Amino acid sequence: MRILFLSEAISPHIGRWQKAFTELGWETLVASCDYTDGFGGHQLKPKASSGPLRYLSIVDQVEKLAFAFQPHLINAHFLPTYGLTAAMANIHPLVLTLWGSDILLSAQDGLLRRWRSRFVLRRSDLVVADAQCALEVAKDISPIQRQLVVSFGVSRVWYESGLVRELKEADTLQILSCRKFEPIYEVQTLIKAARLLCDDGFNFLLTLVGSGSLENNLRALANSLGIADRITFAGALGDEQLFNAYRRSDIYVSTALSDTTSVSLLEAMSQKLYPIVTDIPGNREWLTSDRHFFKPGDAADLAGKIKLGASRQAREHAYSDYQPSLIQKGIREDQMRIADLTFRKLIDEYPRR
C-alpha cells in the first residue's frame, strides 16, 4: 500500500505518522512546501507567499505527484492548508487529519473560512481527529462521511520507562510547562501563579520549555514580579532533553486557552507527573478529577491547584486515576495501528461506492 502525506514537514507530528505507517508496511511519501534543510520528501514550490493562495498554487504539483506516485490513499494534515490543497486536487480516497487549532480556532471565523472548512470536510472520505471535541465542531460545520478519533500519542518506550519511575517527596517542587510562547497558550498565567506561590512561601522551581513571539514579554514579566531566579527558560528541546525534563519534574502545567489532545500532556502523564490543565473540553477527555483543572487565565486558581499536587501521595493517586486512559487511547503505536486498519478498510471499500 502506498500513502501520500500532505503536511508541513517542520512539525514532528508528520514525522511520527510517516514512521509509524512505514513500520506498518506502507510505502510512504511526504510532500510539503513547509520544510527545513534535510527534508527527504517531495518539495512543493508554491507560487504565492501566504494565505490560501499559497496552498491553492500547489494543487497542480500535487496532482502530478499523485499521478507519478499512484498512492492508494492521500492523507492531508491541517484543514485550511494541505486539507484545502487535497480537496482541490480531488484525489480519493482522501483522509483529512485535524490538528486541533485548524478546527477549533479558525474554521468558523467568517463566511469565507466557514465555506472553506465545509468544502474540505465534504470532499474528505474520512476525517481523523485527536479528540472527540474537534469532531463535534467539524460536524457542526458539515456532515462527515466517516470519522475516527486517534490521539497522536506517546511512544510505548516512554510509557514503559515511566512505569518504573519511583515518585518521591520533593523538598523543592519541580514544575514544568511545555507550551509555546504564543497568545493562545497564555503562559503568563503560570508566571503570575508562580509569584503567588512565592508569596505563600511555597518552595518550587519552574521550567518553561518552548519558544515563541512572546518570550521577551514573559522574561520581562518574570523580572518585574521578582521571580526570575525561580524560572528557567529552557528553549525548544530535542526528544532526549525533553524526556529528561519530564523525569526531573513533579507537576505539569498547561495554560492553553484552546486545545484538543495535547501530546505534551500525554508525555507528562507517561512519566507520572501530576497534571494541572485548563478546564476545556479537550483536557476533560483525559482527566476527570476537578483537582486537575483551573479556570483559564486565573492565576490564583492555578496556584491553588499546584499546591494540591505537591505531595508524593497526591501524584501517585493521580497516576492511578489517569493511567487507564493513557493505556487505552494514549499509546502512539496502538493508535497508529487503529488508523492503519481504518485506512486499509477505506481503501478496500472505496471502489464499491
Side-chain angles (χ1 to χ4, degrees):
M1 292 289 187
R2 289 182 299 278
I3 183 169
L4 174 60
F5 292 107
L6 299 181
S7 175
E8 61 170 41
I10 57 178
S11 168
H13 291 322
I14 193 60
R16 292 165 182 161
W17 276 70
Q18 183 181 28
K19 180 177 183 291
F21 273 79
T22 299
E23 291 174 349
L24 288 164
W26 294 70
E27 182 181 351
T28 66
L29 177 63
V30 176
S32 180
C33 56
D34 304 284
Y35 51 82
T36 56
D37 292 342
F39 173 54
H42 184 87
Q43 299 180 6
L44 299 169
K45 305 294 185 181
K47 302 178 184 70
S49 60
S50 62
L53 288 179
R54 184 170 194 260
Y55 298 94
L56 291 173
S57 72
I58 58 174
V59 171
D60 60 333
Q61 298 174 53
V62 170
E63 291 172 340
K64 291 177 182 178
L65 176 60
F67 181 79
F69 185 58
Q70 290 292 300
H72 295 89
L73 180 144
I74 185 167
N75 180 205
H77 288 240
F78 212 77
L79 186 153
T81 57
Y82 294 95
L84 178 62
T85 300
M88 288 299 296
N90 206 21
I91 302 167
H92 297 272
L94 168 59
V95 176
L96 171 68
T97 298
L98 303 172
W99 281 15
S101 60
D102 52 346
I103 195 71
L104 296 185
L105 298 182
S106 61
Q108 303 181 79
D109 186 13
L111 291 177
L112 184 58
R113 289 184 176 181
R114 189 173 181 87
W115 177 90
R116 177 180 61 190
S117 299
R118 186 181 300 114
F119 173 76
V120 175
L121 289 167
R122 285 180 173 175
R123 284 212 166 169
S124 300
D125 301 296
L126 169 67
V127 177
V128 179
D130 66 350
Q132 187 62 41
C133 62
L135 278 180
E136 295 307 316
V137 173
K139 288 189 286 187
D140 283 342
I141 297 172
S142 171
I144 293 175
Q145 297 186 50
R146 294 189 183 201
Q147 64 186 48
L148 175 67
V149 176
V150 290
S151 72
F152 290 9
V154 63
S155 73
R156 187 176 300 280
V157 170
W158 275 45
Y159 170 72
E160 291 178 349
S161 71
L163 289 174
V164 298
R165 183 187 183 190
E166 182 180 353
L167 298 179
K168 300 178 181 179
E169 293 292 352
D171 294 330
T172 301
L173 198 71
Q174 300 290 334
I175 305 171
L176 179 69
S177 168
C178 301
R179 310 319 302 263
K180 294 179 180 179
F181 304 152
E182 300 295 344
I184 191 64
Y185 295 109
E186 193 79 10
V187 178
Q188 63 266 29
T189 301
L190 177 53
I191 295 176
K192 293 175 182 177
R195 176 68 262 178
L196 297 177
L197 291 173
C198 283
D199 292 343
D200 290 342
F202 201 71
N203 193 20
F204 73 94
L205 290 174
L206 169 61
T207 299
L208 301 178
V209 174
S211 59
S213 63
L214 297 180
E215 181 170 349
N216 289 338
N217 292 14
L218 296 174
R219 288 179 179 273
L221 177 62
N223 284 321
S224 69
L225 294 177
I227 54 172
D229 60 331
R230 297 286 192 105
I231 301 175
T232 297
F233 285 82
L237 301 181
D239 281 350
E240 183 176 354
Q241 294 172 308
L242 184 59
F243 175 80
N244 291 333
Y246 284 118
R247 294 289 283 202
R248 291 191 298 267
S249 301
D250 305 302
I251 287 181
Y252 165 84
V253 175
S254 173
T255 47
L257 301 178
S258 178
D259 226 339
T260 49
T261 293
S262 165
V263 172
S264 63
L265 171 59
L266 302 189
E267 290 172 341
M269 290 163 64
S270 79
Q271 300 308 308
K272 297 184 178 178
L273 275 67
Y274 187 99
I276 303 173
V277 295
T278 43
D279 192 358
I280 55 178
N283 291 330
R284 284 280 179 182
E285 293 187 26
W286 290 94
L287 300 165
T288 55
S289 172
D290 286 339
R291 294 169 61 92
H292 297 296
F293 297 101
F294 71 97
K295 182 179 178 182
D298 190 330
D301 192 15
L302 172 54
K305 295 300 171 63
I306 289 174
K307 293 177 184 179
L308 295 180
S311 71
R312 175 185 58 80
Q313 184 178 14
R315 285 177 270 131
E316 288 178 343
H317 181 70
Y319 181 71
S320 66
D321 276 353
Y322 64 64
Q323 186 192 24
S325 291
L326 189 61
I327 296 172
Q328 179 185 2
K329 57 182 182 177
I331 307 300
R332 183 182 305 143
E333 290 83 352
D334 295 342
Q335 294 297 293
M336 291 298 98
R337 193 170 294 110
I338 293 170
D340 164 60
L341 294 173
T342 306
F343 287 13
R344 290 178 187 272
K345 184 177 180 182
L346 176 62
I347 291 169
D348 289 342
E349 296 180 358
Y350 189 78
R352 296 195 291 272
R353 292 187 177 186

